[in-house]
Structure formats: C-alpha cells, structure tokens
Amino acid sequence: MTDKTYAVTELVGTSKDSVANAIRTAIATAHGTLRNLDWFEVVNIRGNIANGEVSEFQATIKVGFRYEK
C-alpha cells in the first residue's frame, strides 16, 4: 500500500426529495470534473421551507480526491 495525498473541497448539494439525494447530487456533479474521488464527509444539513413545509434539502459535504503521482 502506498502513501497518498488528498485535496479537499467543499460542496453543497440540493434535492427536493431527501438529504441522501442532495449528497448524491453533489458527488455526481464533482465526479464530472474531479478524478480520484475517494471519500466524503457531511459538514452541515439544512433546507428551505415554503408554505410551512420542507421545500428543499441542502447538504454541505467535503470530498477528498487523491493526487496522482
């Protein structure tokens, strides 16, 4: 096993359905731009309210992507 170096970036994913979908949205979007995504950490969960109901979930996550040697 070799040593690895990671960069970390913070993203906010959104979904009208669930926190899990908000996380998946952020990761899927990052996957389109970044290579070697290895892990994520949930930093914050929040949402929007409209007419007394949850209208959107927001998940702030940190993703780690490995530098290539």
Side-chain angles (χ1 to χ4, degrees):
M1 187 164 151
T2 61
D3 295 334
K4 300 173 184 166
T5 301
Y6 289 89
V8 178
T9 190
E10 196 167 87
L11 309 167
V12 178
T14 64
S15 171
K16 294 192 181 293
D17 298 320
S18 69
V19 171
N21 281 348
I23 293 168
R24 287 185 177 95
T25 296
I27 291 171
T29 302
H31 177 71
T33 306
L34 302 172
R35 292 192 313 248
N36 302 319
L37 292 173
D38 280 353
W39 56 267
F40 74 93
E41 171 187 358
V42 176
V43 176
N44 194 337
I45 297 171
R46 64 182 172 273
N48 291 325
I49 300 170
N51 299 320
E53 296 182 1
V54 175
S55 63
E56 181 181 64
F57 297 92
Q58 300 175 351
T60 304
I61 65 171
K62 290 182 181 179
V63 294
F65 56 97
R66 193 174 3 97
Y67 278 104
E68 296 176 346
K69 290 188 176 188

